[in-house]
Amino acid sequence: MLSTLLLRHRLTAAASSQTRSPLRVLVAASMSSSASSSAPHGGRKPNRLAAEHSPYLLQHAHNPVDWYPWGEEAFQKARALDVPIFLSIGYSTCHWCHVMEVESFENEEVAKLLNDWFVSIKVVFVLKLDHHTLFRFILHVDREERPDVDKVYMTYVSALHGGGGWPLSVFLSPNLKPLMGGTYFPPDDKYGRPGFKTVLRKVKEAWETKRDALEQTGNLVIEQLRDALSAKASSQDLPNDLAVVSLDQCVEKLVSSYDPKFGGFGSAPKFPRPVEDSIMLYKFRKHMEAGKESEAQNIKKMVTHTLDCMARGGVHDHVGGGFHRYSVDECWHVPHFEKMLYDQGQIVNVYLDTFLITGDEYYSTVARDILDYLRRDMIGKEGEIFSAEDADSAEYEGAPRKKEGSFYVWTSKEIEDTLGENTELFKNHYYVKSSGNCDLSPMSDPHNEFNGKNVLIERKPASLMASKFGKSLDEYSQILGACRQKLFDIRSKRPKPHLDDKVIVSWNGLAISAFARASQILKSEPTGARFNFPVTGCSPVEYLEVAEKAANFIKLNLYDASSKRLHHSYRNGPSKAPGFLDDYAFLINGLLDLYEFGGKIEWLLWAIQLQDELFLDKQGGGYFNTPGEDPSVLLRIKEDYDGAEPSGNSVAAINLIRLSSIFDAAKSTGYKHNVEHLLAVFETRLRQLSIALPLMCCAADMLSVASRKQVVLVGQKGSAEFQDMVAATFSSYDPNRTVIQIDLRNTDEMEFWDSTNANIAQMARSSPVGKKAVAHVCQDFKCSPPVTSPEALHQLLNKTVAAASSAA
């Protein structure tokens, strides 16, 4: 995203001046949504992709297209034959990738043209080719397995056309420079837009008649992208007003785009972008500390209303738990049905933070709902957490085609046949109708694909509906839970969506954070709280076990202790791709949470090992997204956009700030210097387009805090008294707090603190004798007297906000 808006005009001008209109082919988006085939592959012999591990590439292993995976074999053949490359990028749960496969890549005529004329590469994002294929080399790339390759060519397409997406279709020269690109192409010309066969003919013609101009444009584009996307700081000194200006501007932009009716920021389609809620909650805390309670409450209402509408909407899987990718309408009703791990982890943390702020167990229950879905459906035998579930599945066993949402939608009759006496209560609660309920917005189902089908949605809170049926909220909720259990059992017999069981380090890092934080935050739930299906109501400690198992899996299977390097992903073994910035940054964040909330020093030690300078631009500041060791990846990009996933630079900045509060002055200063240099790289963006960088805005403000709050807990970690103190520490929302847990009996642990921060080691040793748990709270360069009870600690940690609130 980094300079995409500025690049678009420059690249468009460059392209149009040298290649003219035949190659200015944009995305064509209209077609039937009946998606990928579930039929067998007709006895076709497997192609090269059959030897790959990626679920996405394996889905194309029996295409008649002569696919190559991304690699030197394909590059050499393209150079030897002197022909262009067709690069197709997608991922295994991508709906439109499936569509293009059926229409084009499974088409024998298209495959023959591709195989006779050109070279094709697939990189775990599937693109579909139709009746005429242009390139001798056809490369297929899994976007989730090779995000570095995807980022280069997605940036090109986005800059040239003002937008991108998957499947991503790009035509390259034999030296891998882009010639043109787009996303989904229908097989034939439609609605005044060129079909894939037309595109192929135009590119072939241009390559034969205008090759020099095409290659000059490709070289120019890469150079301009390289200049724009590897920004360097002109100065390492940050202006004093940067934190305040960027934070306030971002919040103001979000407030101005807030939807007061349905919640969320912006219009349809609505994505649950958790970093938006995170910065709003961060600003809530800032307002409370400043005594601006009215402003704080206004922000809180926006976030809680948004989270309420999301949880009640169809974007939330009421029967099985977890959240779908996004809603196609403004009311969070009809979703794009795939489920992504990176969404689940981030959304959990937002609901946990909101629970801490409001004390309303509704939000903690939604967090549990997501975590229990992950535990049930998305975790492997060794604790690894899988990547995604597809949107598409067969409507019945043996169906010739898959359809989006068929696993999740219901007819009224199916519900009536299953629920018996509770049918009317359930149908009223979830807006179920015999004609189907996808009618709340013109955008919900514009092509009548869900005619007669229902996507469950709660249009009114359960408390109001309980009154309508003359029942207590508890009894009403139990009935709904029992109904959901019955429907879940019925749904489990349907053909399931494809599970992408690839293990991605970065996404596991986000989930590890959520499970670790839940293990303590949920201890603040009211005693005797009752839960209903699909929430299990397990002890919060069980979530810590999930986080530790996932971290152990990565350490054992995706980490080389000798080189201190990560692999990016795992499926039947580690991937060939190295770990990228997001893998390191997100995992470090998860490990820091695992240490702060769980207390085992091993996780802190590993986080420190991973926080090296592999991606750091020592001269220019900030972090590149790749190690820069693969010559086939043409660009090293410094990403800053906090989108569906936060940027690696934003997370890295916060990691450094957290680590700086653990180490003594010398090491702490080095970490802070790297943060300052990083923020200086993105200063212009923070000032001019802060809405794109909400998490980095938070990082800038965190850095400006004179002294981060430290809570040092000393005692016997396994004792109930110590665990009660840990729970009290995390019973309130405070993003500017570092928690250190020390057990004086652990010799290795004390050696670490003696060598890392002698002041903390001395504080631990000076704790009152004979106590199983003691808490020291330090901020603003001073420490309060130690406390030995959870009640006293809770009061001490909240006195600043409480005092500001009462003063207001």
Side-chain angles (χ1 to χ4, degrees):
M1 170 98 182
L2 191 95
S3 301
T4 295
L5 297 177
L6 297 176
L7 280 166
R8 184 184 177 193
H9 173 73
R10 294 163 61 190
L11 297 184
T12 301
S16 62
S17 66
Q18 300 197 40
T19 62
R20 309 312 302 167
S21 59
L23 295 185
R24 296 299 311 282
V25 185
L26 300 177
V27 179
S30 299
M31 69 160 293
S32 166
S33 71
S34 60
S36 65
S37 172
S38 61
H41 34 73
R44 294 193 199 107
K45 293 181 180 180
N47 56 42
R48 292 176 188 82
L49 301 185
E52 298 298 305
H53 290 169
S54 160
Y56 175 73
L57 297 186
L58 290 172
Q59 287 174 354
H60 296 264
H62 288 85
N63 292 166
V65 176
D66 187 18
W67 290 116
Y68 285 76
W70 184 265
E72 190 58 33
E73 180 188 4
F75 308 153
Q76 288 181 356
K77 187 171 182 181
R79 290 191 292 266
L81 297 180
D82 197 28
V83 296
I85 291 168
F86 173 67
L87 174 65
S88 171
I89 303 180
Y91 59 101
S92 70
T93 60
C94 168
H95 171 73
W96 287 100
C97 299
H98 298 329
V99 174
M100 197 163 177
E101 180 186 14
V102 171
E103 292 181 336
S104 299
F105 300 149
E106 291 184 353
N107 183 285
E108 296 284 353
E109 180 184 358
V110 173
K112 187 176 188 307
L113 293 174
L114 277 168
N115 300 338
D116 287 349
W117 294 354
F118 304 97
V119 178
S120 306
I121 300 178
K122 204 161 231 325
V123 186
V124 182
F125 231 116
V126 182
L127 240 197
K128 300 159 190 185
L129 305 175
D130 230 339
H131 299 116
H132 291 311
T133 309
L134 224 122
F135 294 97
R136 200 57 180 288
F137 285 114
I138 312 167
L139 294 186
H140 219 345
V141 173
D142 184 334
R143 164 231 178 203
E144 293 165 0
E145 194 171 72
R146 291 304 304 260
D148 52 341
V149 176
D150 173 62
K151 179 58 65 175
V152 171
Y153 299 110
M154 180 60 76
T155 302
Y156 161 75
V157 169
S158 297
L160 194 60
H161 299 312
W166 298 278
L168 183 65
S169 309
V170 189
F171 300 97
L172 313 177
S173 67
N175 65 1
L176 307 182
K177 302 294 175 61
L179 305 175
M180 67 80 61
T183 57
Y184 162 78
F185 293 102
D188 300 294
D189 298 353
K190 254 185 207 181
Y191 311 115
R193 297 177 177 179
F196 193 66
K197 290 180 285 186
T198 298
V199 172
L200 293 174
R201 292 189 183 104
K202 292 291 186 181
V203 176
K204 181 179 186 298
E205 178 185 348
W207 179 254
E208 293 174 346
T209 62
K210 301 178 181 179
R211 174 173 175 170
D212 290 344
L214 284 178
E215 293 188 305
Q216 289 175 18
T217 298
N219 291 332
L220 175 64
V221 164
I222 289 299
E223 289 307 313
Q224 291 187 337
L225 287 172
R226 183 176 289 118
D227 291 343
L229 301 179
S230 57
K232 297 181 179 181
S234 57
S235 171
Q236 297 183 24
D237 297 325
L238 285 179
N240 294 330
D241 68 339
L242 181 62
V244 173
V245 169
S246 61
L247 185 68
D248 287 351
Q249 284 185 355
C250 184
V251 171
E252 288 169 6
K253 287 284 188 182
L254 288 172
V255 169
S256 67
S257 67
Y258 173 68
D259 180 350
K261 184 174 182 180
F262 296 111
F265 305 96
S267 56
K270 281 188 174 174
F271 291 79
R273 185 185 175 205
V275 290
E276 294 176 336
D277 301 299
S278 293
I279 193 174
M280 295 291 278
L281 294 179
Y282 186 92
K283 187 62 177 177
F284 163 84
R285 173 81 185 195
K286 297 285 290 186
H287 279 323
M288 292 296 290
E289 290 174 345
K292 298 179 179 180
E293 188 164 3
S294 176
E295 292 91 335
Q297 294 305 319
N298 185 44
I299 283 179
K300 184 176 77 171
K301 288 178 183 177
M302 293 182 186
V303 175
T304 55
H305 183 55
T306 295
L307 297 184
D308 291 348
C309 291
M310 284 172 51
R312 294 202 299 260
V315 73
H316 175 210
D317 180 2
H318 295 276
V319 171
F323 279 76
H324 299 294
R325 180 73 275 272
Y326 63 88
S327 169
V328 301
D329 52 45
E330 71 277 14
C331 47
W332 301 102
H333 184 201
V334 178
H336 174 47
F337 286 90
E338 69 179 326
K339 291 182 177 179
M340 307 300 296
L341 178 59
Y342 60 76
D343 283 324
Q344 314 306 324
Q346 293 181 87
I347 294 172
V348 166
N349 276 331
V350 170
Y351 276 94
L352 289 173
D353 289 341
T354 306
F355 164 66
L356 289 176
I357 289 169
T358 64
D360 188 342
E361 63 187 285
Y362 176 78
Y363 301 106
S364 65
T365 300
V366 176
R368 282 179 174 271
D369 166 290
I370 302 169
L371 295 173
D372 290 345
Y373 152 67
L374 292 177
R375 286 205 310 166
R376 187 190 67 234
D377 291 347
M378 298 293 286
I379 295 182
K381 294 179 180 179
E382 297 178 62
E384 70 275 27
I385 308 178
F386 302 138
S387 296
E389 288 189 297
D390 205 343
D392 301 357
S393 60
E395 290 188 282
Y396 52 88
E397 292 294 343
R401 302 250 171 173
K402 295 180 180 180
K403 294 184 69 174
E404 176 160 11
S406 59
F407 184 72
Y408 299 100
V409 298
W410 301 90
T411 65
S412 179
K413 186 176 186 305
E414 287 173 325
I415 289 172
E416 293 162 4
D417 291 344
T418 304
L419 300 185
E421 64 179 352
N422 293 316
T423 294
E424 287 308 310
L425 181 149
F426 188 89
K427 287 173 65 175
N428 271 272
H429 186 82
Y430 286 108
Y431 187 57
V432 174
K433 304 193 303 181
S434 58
S435 59
N437 72 352
C438 300
D439 55 5
L440 295 178
S441 165
M443 302 184 72
S444 296
D445 187 24
H447 303 296
N448 295 317
E449 299 169 68
F450 297 113
N451 190 34
K453 302 294 178 66
N454 293 271
V455 177
L456 302 185
I457 180 173
E458 299 175 285
R459 299 190 68 191
K460 295 179 180 179
S463 56
L464 293 179
M465 297 299 289
S467 298
K468 175 182 176 181
F469 281 88
K471 299 182 183 297
S472 68
L473 178 58
D474 185 55
E475 179 187 6
Y476 185 80
S477 298
Q478 288 183 55
I479 292 172
L480 289 177
C483 291
R484 291 192 296 264
Q485 174 78 73
K486 290 180 180 179
L487 292 176
F488 177 85
D489 293 341
I490 293 294
R491 193 176 81 173
S492 298
K493 299 174 184 177
R494 296 174 175 176
K496 290 180 173 59
H498 162 71
L499 170 67
D500 186 338
D501 58 358
K502 183 167 65 270
V503 180
I504 297 176
V505 171
S506 58
W507 298 1
N508 270 248
L510 295 172
I512 287 168
S513 168
F515 278 106
R517 297 182 76 242
S519 71
Q520 293 294 346
I521 292 173
L522 293 177
K523 292 179 181 178
S524 295
E525 288 177 314
T527 303
R530 300 188 64 169
F531 303 100
N532 298 290
F533 190 86
V535 176
T536 64
C538 69
S539 167
V541 175
E542 294 184 29
Y543 293 135
L544 182 63
E545 296 170 358
V546 174
E548 290 181 333
K549 286 181 179 178
N552 272 318
F553 179 88
I554 294 171
K555 194 167 188 179
L556 290 172
N557 296 280
L558 287 160
Y559 179 63
D560 184 335
S562 59
S563 64
K564 298 181 181 179
R565 294 285 192 96
L566 289 167
H567 292 275
H568 171 63
S569 63
Y570 182 98
R571 188 176 187 275
N572 299 326
S575 66
K576 299 173 187 176
F580 304 109
L581 173 61
D582 287 1
D583 296 310
Y584 285 78
F586 295 7
L587 179 58
I588 290 168
N589 173 68
L591 294 174
L592 291 176
D593 284 336
L594 202 47
Y595 167 69
E596 289 198 37
F597 287 80
K600 290 184 180 178
I601 194 71
E602 64 182 277
W603 305 122
L604 176 59
L605 296 176
W606 191 22
I608 293 167
Q609 287 180 345
L610 292 172
Q611 188 61 62
D612 63 11
E613 298 181 345
L614 178 62
F615 303 92
L616 181 67
D617 183 351
K618 296 180 181 179
Q619 285 72 44
Y623 291 88
F624 292 107
N625 67 328
T626 68
E629 298 165 343
D630 186 345
S632 71
V633 181
L634 303 182
L635 300 174
R636 293 186 81 195
I637 296 171
K638 294 180 184 176
E639 290 192 76
D640 63 355
Y641 178 57
D642 297 321
E645 302 171 59
S647 77
N649 273 290
S650 295
V651 176
I654 294 176
N655 290 341
L656 291 169
I657 292 168
R658 296 174 70 179
L659 287 169
S660 73
S661 67
I662 290 174
F663 284 88
D664 59 16
K667 189 77 170 178
S668 175
T669 300
Y671 283 139
K672 288 183 177 178
H673 169 77
N674 285 343
V675 180
E676 291 170 352
H677 204 180
L678 182 156
L679 294 173
V681 171
F682 303 110
E683 179 188 349
T684 300
R685 292 268 288 168
L686 284 165
R687 288 187 182 277
Q688 296 180 1
L689 201 59
S690 58
I691 188 68
L693 295 75
L695 196 63
M696 193 175 290
C697 292
C698 293
D701 190 81
M702 289 177 183
L703 183 65
S704 72
V705 174
S707 174
R708 187 176 176 87
K709 184 183 294 180
Q710 289 178 318
V711 182
V712 181
L713 302 174
V714 183
Q716 299 176 20
K717 289 184 180 179
S719 68
E721 292 86 348
F722 191 91
Q723 289 303 311
D724 287 345
M725 291 290 270
V726 177
T729 302
F730 293 111
S731 64
S732 59
Y733 169 74
D734 188 351
N736 279 305
R737 171 188 60 208
T738 294
V739 178
I740 295 170
Q741 300 188 38
I742 299 178
D743 193 325
L744 292 168
R745 301 171 300 173
N746 188 320
T747 304
D748 293 339
E749 193 170 317
M750 290 310 300
E751 288 180 358
F752 168 79
W753 290 111
D754 283 330
S755 63
T756 300
N757 194 325
N759 291 333
I760 288 178
Q762 180 57 34
M763 181 188 300
R765 291 192 173 96
S766 65
S767 298
V769 179
K771 299 291 184 181
K772 292 186 177 180
V774 177
H776 305 263
V777 180
C778 304
Q779 191 173 26
D780 297 330
F781 309 104
K782 61 181 181 294
C783 297
S784 301
V787 296
T788 57
S789 74
E791 296 77 17
L793 177 58
H794 180 83
Q795 185 177 6
L796 180 61
L797 292 174
N798 289 279
K799 68 177 184 179
T800 303
V801 173
S805 179
S806 61

